[in-house]
Structure formats: C-alpha cells, structure tokens
Amino acid sequence: MSEISDSTQSTGTSGCPREFLVSVELYVPTVASFGLRKPVVSRRKADTSKTEETPRSLKEKSSWISVSRSPASAGQWRPATCKLMDEDESCSLNIYVDETILYQTIYIHMLNQFDIRHADSSLFLRKNCLALASAGQRWGSPTNTEPIYFQFEDADTCNTWLVLLRSYSKPEIYGQTFASRDGGLYRMWRQVELSILQGRNLGNHFKAQLDTNASSAILSEGDLREADPIDLDAFCEIHLNDNICARTTVKKGIGSPDWLENFSFPDLPPFETLEVTVWREKRLVKPVLLGSVRIALTNFRRSEAVEGWFPVIQAGGASNSIQVGEIRMKLTVDEEIILPHNSYSGLLTVLRDRNVLEWMSDFERRLHLRTTSYQLMCIAIAKNILVEHITEYADREVDGTPSSHNTIFRGNTTFTKTMELAMAFYGKAFLESSIGCTIRRICSEKVAIEVDPVRSGKGAKEVERGVDQLIHWSQEVWNQIYAVRGQCPNELRRLFEHVRKLVEKHYHTKDSQDPHNRELPWQSVSAFCFLRFIVPGILNPHLFGLYPGLPSARIQRSLTLIAKVIQSLANLNPNVQKEEFMRGIKDFLKQNLPAMVDYILVVSTPIPLDPCSPHSGHPTHSHQRLNVVSSLHERSTTMPVLERESISLLPHVLDIPRHLARITSSVLRSARSADPKDKSSEGDNQHLSGLCAQCFDLEDQSLARVSQLAGVESCPVALKWDAPRITSTVSSAAPSSPASPSKMVESRKVSRPYTAPSLSDLSEVDHLKASSGNMTPSSPVPHDLSSLRRGSVPDIPSSPKVTSSPEERSTRAINRPRFLRPKSISADSISSLASPTSAQSLRSPPEFQDLEASRKRKNVLQGLLTKR
C-alpha cells in the first residue's frame, strides 16, 4: 500500500507545479474490487435533499448492464484520489482508493490524446466523467483492459483535468520526423455524430440476403407486410472500434420503439467500425441480444449526413444470418486535417474584418451553411469578442421600429439565433441548476397532469384536481428557478442588460403612461431568458442534457402545461390566458409577479468580475484551473508548435485551429456544390470572395503537406511505416517501482496504419516513377483524381525539402523534447492526393464524360470515401 504525502502541490525548480491532486468518484469493476475493502456504509438516515438530486430511477443502471459486453465486469462507484506526477522523463497518474490504497498507476505519457476523452453521460447516467483507454499502459490490474472512468465534482474540474492529462499524452501529429520547425506537418481530428431514431419489426425473424460487399441486407416487401408486431422493451448500445461509448434509454413499443436520441463522439482514434447492438429487456432476467448493425466508417463520405433504415442482423455466419428488424439512424462522419495556427493567419485576418454575426448571416443565406455558426462562435469566444459583437449587432437590429419589436419577441433572425447559441454555451450549468433537478423529479415520478376536460374526458372535480397539481409543480419549478438567479453567468447578464437598455432607449418606456410600455424592458429580457432558453429546456429536457431520452407522452403533456405557466409568468401579464382551462392559475401568476420582476432585474445586472467568485460568470474552482493554466503556459514554451496547439484552451476546451479547419472544409464543400443558377451564391460579395480565396489557399497548403509526406512514404526502405512505440508490460510478479515504466518497456509490433498505402501500391508507384524519367520534384505532374482510390498513393515525387538521411531522421527523433513520441506516417484517411496545381484546377473543373470521375474530383481534403 502507498500513502498520499500531502495535498499541496510540489513545484520544480522553475516554479511550475509538478504534482496535481483531485478527488473523484472512480468506477471499479467487480473483478478489480475483490482485493479492496468494502465501502463504508453510513448507518445514519439518508439525506432527503440528496435523494432529490439523484432520483432512484436515474441512478446508474442495474449491475447486469456493464461497461463491456460481458456482465461479469459490472462494478460500483467509489471515492478516490488522483495524483498526477510530472517526473521529467515520464508522467504518471496514481489512483488511490480509500485514501491509502494504490489502485492503479497509469503512464499518461504513453497514451495518445484520443485515449483520454469525455465519457458519454448515457453510460452511467452521470455527468462530468472522463474515460481513459489505458490498456497496456497501466500497473496494478493486469487482467482488466477496460477504460478507467472518473467522475469529477463539476464540469470545470472535468475540463481542467481533461486538458491537463492530454497535455502529457501524445497528439496525433504526422510528419514529425522531418518537419522540425512546427514539430510535424499536420494533426488529425475525427468525430462521429449519430442519431438513433426508431425501430421497425424488431424481434421478427427474416432470412437476410446479405451483400458480401457491404454491411447490408435486403428484405422483400412481402416479408415486411407479413411481419407480426412483437411487444418488447428495447435499448441500444453504441460501440466504436469495439469499445462501448453510449447507450440509449429503454423504450417500450410493439416492434417499433421511438428513441429520437442524439450522440456526439469527438476526438476519436482512426476510424474502423461502428456497431449498434439492440437488446431486449426482460424483467428479473438479463437482457437478450436481438442483433446488431455493423458499419464500416471508412465507407462514409466525410461531413455528409446519411439517414436510412439499417438492418439488424443476428450473427450466424454469412449463410445463416437472420434479420431481426431494422433501426432508423442518421450518421455523420467528420475527419479533418489541422494545420499549424500560423497557416490560418490569412483566414483569421479576413474573419476579423467583419462582425461575427455578419459572417453567420452570409454563411446561412449565401453558402447555405447552417451548422458553421457554432464554429464561428467558438472562435469569437476564444478571442473574447463574442459579447462585444452581439451587442454591436443588437444596436443595429433594435431601433424602435415594429420590425425590431418582432425581432426581440417573436423573430427568428441572425441576432436571436446567436443569442440562443450564446445562452446554450454560457448557460449550460445555469440551466441545469435552474430546472434540472425538478424536471428529473417530474419524469422519475411519472407526474401526469391534465386540466383540459376535452382531453381528459373527466368531470369538474378531476379537472380541479389537475389544476391544483399543475399549480403545485409550477410553484416547484419557479421556486428553484428563482433560488439560483444569482448564478446567472456574467456574459449573459451583460447581453440581457444591453437588450434591456436598448428597449428603454428606443421605446421611451420611462416617459410612457401606458403600463404595458413600461414593462417592455423587462419583457425583452424574458423573451430571451425564458422564451428562448428556460422554457425550451422544460419542454424538451432531453435536448438540453437534463434528462436521458425522450419523456413519455403523458410526462411530455405535463411538461408542456408547466412550460405554459412559466411563460405566462415571464410575460408579466396574468390576465391574458388563451385557453379557458388555464384561467385557474391566475392567482398563482399574480402572487409570483413581483418575484419575476426581481428575477429579471438580477439576471440583467452585471456584477464586478472576480475570478474567484462562483457568481462572477467564471467557473468555480478557478484557483485550480489557474494553476493548471500556469503550468501549461510554462511547459508549452519548450513544446513544438503542433504539440502546443493540440492543448485546448480553458475553461471552455476550445481549439482555434480545429474550428478554423472545419470552417474551411465547410466553405470548400459549399463552393463546389453550389448551383450555378443560384444567384445568392454568386461571388458578388467581396468579403465572401476573400474568404473563399483563403480557404482554397489553405487547401493548397494541405495538399502540399500531404504530398510532402507521401513523397517520404514512397521510399519504404528509407522510412518504416510505423515508428516503434513504447508500451508497458505487466509481469506476473509486481514490479519493485510502479512509477518507473522505463524498466519494463518493449517495442510494440510494427504494423501498417489502416489508411496507409499497401506495399503493392508502393510497388506500382515505384514502377510508374521508373517509367517517368522526365518528372522533376519541383513540378509535380497533375494526376487523374478519378483513378485514385482510398489507401492508394499517387505518383507524387518527394519534396525537395526532405534531404536528410534515415540516420539523421532517427537522431532528430531521439533528440525530440520529452513526451513527444514518434508517430506513424500515413496518408491520414485522405481518399485522394493531388499536387497544388491539380488543386487549382478543382476551382473550375472541366466537364467530364464520366460522371463518377467528376464526382471524385470534389472535396479532396474531406476524405470523401466512395463505397466499393
């Protein structure tokens, strides 16, 4: 056993913190907990307030739903302490259970950054969790290869430790061995967005006609008509690269359950497979596996949503597979090349020339990009200019005219949409504390409220009882909203204050004799805070992360009625009720009207900034975050450029080059897919023309870097596909010093990256080079992009800059700064490579007789992968 020395952070000679401590909840699998003491159970009476925070039905699922496919690995959550130690040559994370027992040691410097990710809240119905996929890089649990899960006290602590742990791990950088100035050529980022919508004919058995070239099955229309619906409860588990990432809720349905649940998985390793397993839940017994949908992610075009019905196949071999229904899903696969930050300087200069809301408007109206606003907003937040740009744009929108009145209260403009994005970004924790606990109580207790006699079909007494129930739960919701009014983030306070003062200025409300006009400033604030933020959270708690899954129809009706009451209160007019059956809440509205006015004044009044204050708009525990930021800043001075830029910015975990790369990709796709007859997309806007030019220049830079890397890869004798990577091995006997991984290392088996070209491809390239003696390295010959396929390397000569010998490259790799490990070199999931001259021709491609060849010319950098 090992004991924790003390809670203070030790510092090195430079003053940079070398140790970091944090208290967490640790998920301990059953097998791993056999050698640990049983957790102490308090005999005191349980605190009722804690029970309300975590309703019984929302606690982690019963033990048979494990983290892995096997129920034997189910476990429990236990208090633990994590101690991160920077030891110059290594970085280790010691995990202590029961304050003194060393549970495991993880060698963080041997992990990849994509091994450290946020854990989806659906796995354990717990928020603020991190997952560490540390198989082979840990000491203390030789038999357990599953990820380690931590739950932190709040989102700020979780984000701080996510960035801290990743700063000691290995970023996915390519071309490190010969690009010394930036520490590599580029890095990669991947994401999968999945929506599981509904099922169909689940539980029915059909003979599946499998397509040997794809994960699909064909079911005749006659079989569909003959299918008898089966009453069952079903849920899905989502696996990426054979690791479980998320679960849906259990839905009841006669063969056709509706989930309508959305999942996002960022910061992923190289794509392999996505598998969705469908389980049938039964009472008192373990769930039964119905079947699965297995999808090869490499077959999907990047950044294009694919929606459809996917067959659920029950495994039984290629000839005996049985289809047991279908599930409707929507899938989007993203994969981006991220260049060094200085490569985006021209793009940033163009973006700074205008208000960010003006760019959002042009992106939506002219380029038809409706999802890029979030990327623009993140860049503005990282630059700390978002609030300033919104207020500047509001000065133009709110001018006292009838149109501006509609913009504030009912409009759907760029200004209101950006306000909604800002409220969702800054106010996530505020919304959770305002309505999260009460909404979960309503859902877990299955509160069913009905006050409409037509809907209920019951008498006056039942309707009156429903009104009393509605008033009770509306009061519960309002009490919680009012109690946390002081926690409103300062960014939202500044925005609300600006809107309120604009209305006071342009509508002359102070001099008005009409009481309704005097209430306009308050109503303008409630039009954003309630109409566009809190009330939508009550109506759709699953969309705001307040409740897992779509509530049932009866609970949804209860939430709708409560939302109407709260919105009526926010309108500050208790005498107006559209429905006759809602007039019974008139006394409730009059009673709480003064409190609503006070609430609006509080959330629209900024307070002096104090980083240590939990109500100043800054996350709590900022002292710890500042220590981490100080440490990262001092260590980053010795890091290569790409490694330093792979460390996200706190407190919101933002990555400016990544957001710029996604904007570039979206603009290029829109520019190439634009309809020539569409006048709105014509280049009559000088700002958009400059933006598109910068995006095309970035594409040329990316192609040049990929070509440079491919040129080095085309010489397999000079440079191996994979540089040796270090991994730890755990012998049967415990090592004498678990904190010294250098004593037990070995080279991992060298394997070709999945996206790298095969040796046969290389031989073809060498043969083509031998037959093309007139080619010069400085002037690559354009290639026919239609002849390229995924994983192939085109005839691209080596870059003239790469002149070092293999021995020099090896020496350079050894002398690299600490924690920077050699990375495998590959084409990085790019379906086709081209020279800058060929990329230039993509701006105005000639007409092709072959339509398929024309399609493959587009989106060179987006990893467009055609199904084969």
Side-chain angles (χ1 to χ4, degrees):
M1 284 188 286
S2 249
E3 293 189 3
I4 303 175
S5 56
D6 54 34
S7 59
T8 59
Q9 296 177 343
S10 63
T11 58
T13 56
S14 62
C16 179
R18 306 298 298 273
E19 293 183 2
F20 300 89
L21 289 174
V22 66
S23 298
V24 299
E25 288 284 318
L26 173 70
Y27 180 79
V28 181
T30 301
V31 175
S33 64
F34 287 154
L36 301 176
R37 293 195 298 262
K38 293 183 178 180
V40 179
V41 179
S42 177
R43 295 185 178 182
R44 296 181 180 179
K45 188 175 180 180
D47 188 357
T48 56
S49 62
K50 293 184 178 180
T51 305
E52 291 181 356
E53 285 292 330
T54 308
R56 180 173 55 186
S57 62
L58 288 180
K59 293 181 180 178
E60 52 268 22
K61 297 180 180 180
S62 49
S63 60
W64 49 259
I65 300 186
S66 66
V67 177
S68 69
R69 297 171 187 267
S70 171
S73 301
Q76 57 186 331
W77 290 89
R78 301 187 62 168
T81 301
C82 294
K83 183 178 182 180
L84 184 70
M85 295 185 294
D86 179 353
E87 301 172 338
D88 286 331
E89 298 300 327
S90 63
C91 179
S92 60
L93 179 69
N94 291 336
I95 306 172
Y96 298 89
V97 180
D98 297 334
E99 297 183 354
T100 57
I101 302 175
L102 179 60
Y103 173 68
Q104 282 192 20
T105 295
I106 304 174
Y107 308 119
I108 301 298
H109 67 284
M110 303 176 71
L111 301 181
N112 296 303
Q113 283 191 352
F114 51 67
D115 293 329
I116 307 170
R117 302 198 304 270
H118 281 293
D120 194 87
S121 60
S122 63
L123 279 178
F124 304 102
L125 297 179
R126 288 173 175 241
K127 296 183 178 181
N128 307 322
C129 294
L130 290 185
L132 270 66
S134 56
Q137 284 80 33
R138 66 173 82 172
W139 173 90
S141 182
T143 60
N144 183 25
T145 60
E146 294 178 353
I148 297 178
Y149 295 94
F150 306 100
Q151 184 188 24
F152 294 86
E153 182 180 0
D154 52 40
D156 179 59
T157 307
C158 182
N159 290 338
T160 300
W161 273 79
L162 172 69
V163 174
L164 179 63
L165 293 174
R166 282 183 175 176
S167 70
Y168 287 101
S169 61
K170 298 176 290 186
E172 189 178 357
I173 298 175
Y174 292 89
Q176 293 177 332
T177 53
F178 56 90
S180 58
R181 184 173 63 88
D182 293 331
L185 292 174
Y186 53 86
R187 53 193 175 99
M188 295 295 296
W189 176 84
R190 303 174 187 86
Q191 174 178 273
V192 170
E193 292 178 311
L194 177 66
S195 298
I196 298 183
L197 305 176
Q198 60 185 134
R200 183 169 68 182
N201 297 319
L202 293 179
N204 291 293
H205 290 67
F206 305 96
K207 182 68 175 180
Q209 302 175 16
L210 292 179
D211 184 354
T212 57
N213 297 323
S215 299
S216 61
I218 303 172
L219 194 63
S220 66
E221 293 295 331
D223 290 337
L224 286 173
R225 288 193 299 267
E226 295 173 2
D228 295 326
I230 297 178
D231 188 7
L232 51 78
D233 299 339
F235 68 94
C236 301
E237 289 185 342
I238 303 167
H239 301 259
L240 280 166
N241 296 359
D242 295 326
N243 294 317
I244 187 168
C245 294
R247 292 187 181 94
T248 68
T249 54
V250 179
K251 290 296 182 182
K252 300 179 181 292
I254 304 179
S256 302
D258 293 326
W259 284 288
L260 302 177
E261 298 182 27
N262 304 316
F263 303 92
S264 180
F265 308 107
D267 305 312
L268 293 176
F271 290 136
E272 293 179 12
T273 58
L274 166 69
E275 184 177 16
V276 179
T277 57
V278 184
W279 297 80
R280 179 178 183 179
E281 188 183 62
K282 295 184 178 181
R283 292 184 178 181
L284 305 179
V285 295
K286 297 178 180 178
V288 177
L289 178 63
L290 290 178
S292 64
V293 179
R294 193 170 182 86
I295 301 171
L297 294 176
T298 53
N299 292 339
F300 281 79
R301 290 180 176 273
R302 300 304 185 248
S303 303
E304 291 188 9
V306 176
E307 181 176 346
W309 290 96
F310 293 79
V312 180
I313 305 300
Q314 194 176 82
S319 58
N320 298 322
S321 295
I322 298 175
Q323 181 173 343
V324 291
E326 297 172 298
I327 55 176
R328 182 165 162 254
M329 300 190 299
K330 183 178 180 181
L331 177 66
T332 304
V333 178
D334 290 305
E335 188 171 34
E336 299 289 351
I337 290 178
I338 304 175
L339 302 178
H341 186 280
N342 56 11
S343 300
Y344 299 99
S345 58
L347 179 60
L348 278 173
T349 301
V350 173
L351 291 176
R352 280 196 295 262
D353 289 342
R354 304 175 70 196
N355 190 298
V356 67
L357 277 75
E358 294 175 345
W359 284 115
M360 293 180 182
S361 177
D362 279 352
F363 274 31
E364 183 171 353
R365 292 188 301 105
R366 294 177 175 272
L367 300 180
H368 308 292
L369 298 174
R370 294 176 175 80
T371 60
T372 316
S373 296
Y374 181 78
Q375 311 302 329
L376 290 168
M377 183 186 71
C378 288
I379 295 174
I381 290 174
K383 299 292 184 180
N384 199 25
I385 59 175
L386 179 64
V387 174
E388 176 186 345
H389 281 204
I390 293 178
T391 54
E392 176 189 327
Y393 199 86
D395 292 338
R396 297 180 241 165
E397 290 282 310
V398 183
D399 54 6
T401 62
S403 60
S404 68
H405 185 276
N406 182 66
T407 295
I408 295 176
F409 296 101
R410 297 294 174 184
N412 190 25
T413 63
T414 301
F415 169 62
T416 59
K417 291 177 182 177
T418 309
M419 284 287 291
E420 291 175 9
L421 286 175
M423 288 187 293
F425 188 93
Y426 288 118
K428 187 174 183 180
F430 178 55
L431 185 67
E432 164 65 32
S433 60
S434 296
I435 61 176
C437 176
T438 312
I439 294 299
R440 286 190 290 272
R441 282 179 54 203
I442 293 172
C443 296
S444 62
E445 296 178 18
K446 299 180 180 179
V447 176
I449 304 174
E450 186 53 74
V451 294
D452 187 354
V454 177
R455 283 175 173 264
S456 63
K458 297 179 179 179
K461 290 186 178 180
E462 291 295 330
V463 172
E464 185 178 351
R465 187 178 296 118
V467 171
D468 294 339
Q469 192 179 16
L470 175 60
I471 293 174
H472 168 75
W473 283 106
S474 297
Q475 190 68 59
E476 290 285 320
V477 171
W478 170 242
N479 288 343
Q480 183 61 25
I481 292 174
Y482 183 76
V484 298
R485 63 194 184 281
Q487 298 181 21
C488 182
N490 216 44
E491 293 86 356
L492 298 187
R493 290 171 181 252
R494 291 169 57 193
L495 292 174
F496 295 154
E497 180 196 38
H498 193 77
V499 171
R500 175 168 57 83
K501 289 186 175 181
L502 279 177
V503 173
E504 290 176 353
K505 174 183 176 181
H506 291 291
Y507 290 92
H508 309 289
T509 56
K510 293 183 178 180
D511 301 330
S512 176
Q513 300 297 325
D514 189 352
H516 295 291
N517 285 344
R518 290 198 298 268
E519 294 175 351
L520 277 179
W522 302 333
Q523 291 174 346
S524 66
V525 174
S526 68
F528 288 103
C529 185
F530 284 91
L531 180 63
R532 294 180 172 94
F533 187 46
I534 294 179
V535 169
I538 298 173
L539 284 171
N540 302 289
H542 60 292
L543 299 181
F544 292 83
L546 302 176
Y547 185 76
L550 182 68
S552 64
R554 298 182 66 184
I555 298 176
Q556 192 68 48
R557 173 61 177 170
S558 301
L559 295 176
T560 301
L561 292 173
I562 295 172
K564 285 185 176 182
V565 174
I566 299 300
Q567 186 58 55
S568 298
L569 181 61
N571 291 338
L572 305 178
N573 192 354
N575 297 319
V576 177
Q577 294 298 327
K578 295 181 179 180
E579 298 92 346
E580 181 66 28
F581 54 84
M582 293 290 287
R583 296 186 182 276
I585 63 169
K586 187 175 180 180
D587 293 339
F588 164 83
L589 297 178
K590 289 184 177 181
Q591 179 182 352
N592 292 281
L593 195 59
M596 173 58 75
V597 174
D598 177 68
Y599 180 93
I600 292 173
L601 291 176
V602 170
V603 300
S604 62
T605 303
I607 56 179
L609 291 178
D610 180 8
C612 298
S613 172
H615 305 310
S616 63
H618 293 267
T620 57
H621 303 280
S622 58
H623 179 70
Q624 181 191 46
R625 175 165 51 84
L626 291 176
N627 285 337
V628 171
V629 171
S630 175
S631 173
L632 293 176
H633 178 73
E634 187 166 346
R635 288 174 45 227
S636 65
T637 57
T638 61
M639 293 181 180
V641 173
L642 280 175
E643 184 181 5
R644 180 173 67 248
E645 293 173 359
S646 69
I647 302 174
S648 302
L649 303 177
L650 289 170
H652 302 300
V653 195
L654 299 177
D655 186 342
I656 296 179
R658 186 189 75 208
H659 296 304
L660 291 170
R662 298 194 69 184
I663 291 173
T664 301
S665 301
S666 300
V667 171
L668 290 174
R669 282 193 303 271
S670 175
R672 291 194 172 112
S673 61
D675 186 359
K677 299 179 181 180
D678 187 1
K679 300 298 181 182
S680 64
S681 61
E682 291 182 356
D684 56 351
N685 187 304
Q686 181 181 359
H687 297 288
L688 278 182
S689 299
L691 178 73
C692 291
Q694 290 295 331
C695 292
F696 280 116
D697 288 341
L698 284 169
E699 182 183 51
D700 292 344
Q701 294 182 45
S702 300
L703 285 170
R705 290 173 182 261
V706 172
S707 300
Q708 184 180 0
L709 184 60
V712 176
E713 287 185 328
S714 63
C715 302
V717 178
L719 186 62
K720 295 294 184 182
W721 284 114
D722 271 347
R725 300 177 65 183
I726 306 300
T727 182
S728 64
T729 57
V730 183
S731 60
S732 56
S736 57
S737 176
S740 302
S742 58
K743 296 183 180 180
M744 43 180 183
V745 298
E746 67 176 7
S747 297
R748 183 177 294 181
K749 182 180 178 181
V750 178
S751 61
R752 186 176 63 86
Y754 185 80
T755 57
S758 63
L759 294 179
S760 61
D761 294 329
L762 284 174
S763 61
E764 295 175 2
V765 171
D766 295 336
H767 175 73
L768 290 174
K769 284 189 174 183
S771 61
S772 305
N774 58 347
M775 290 172 51
T776 59
S778 60
S779 179
V781 177
H783 302 280
D784 181 8
L785 299 182
S786 63
S787 64
L788 299 178
R789 61 180 176 83
R790 174 174 177 78
S792 66
V793 174
D795 187 3
I796 299 177
S798 302
S799 170
K801 296 181 181 180
V802 184
T803 57
S804 59
S805 63
E807 292 77 16
E808 293 172 340
R809 287 193 293 270
S810 300
T811 304
R812 212 160 38 233
I814 293 174
N815 295 331
R816 224 178 280 131
R818 64 190 181 94
F819 303 136
L820 187 59
R821 296 293 184 265
K823 299 298 295 185
S824 42
I825 298 176
S826 74
D828 306 315
S829 300
I830 298 178
S831 60
S832 55
L833 308 175
S835 63
T837 55
S838 62
Q840 180 71 21
S841 65
L842 287 175
R843 302 186 190 182
S844 55
E847 295 295 326
F848 280 85
Q849 295 179 356
D850 186 355
L851 182 60
E852 179 69 10
S854 176
R855 180 176 60 82
K856 288 187 178 182
R857 280 178 175 265
K858 299 181 179 180
N859 295 335
V860 176
L861 288 183
Q862 308 317 312
L864 300 185
L865 308 175
T866 56
K867 294 185 179 180
R868 300 194 295 269

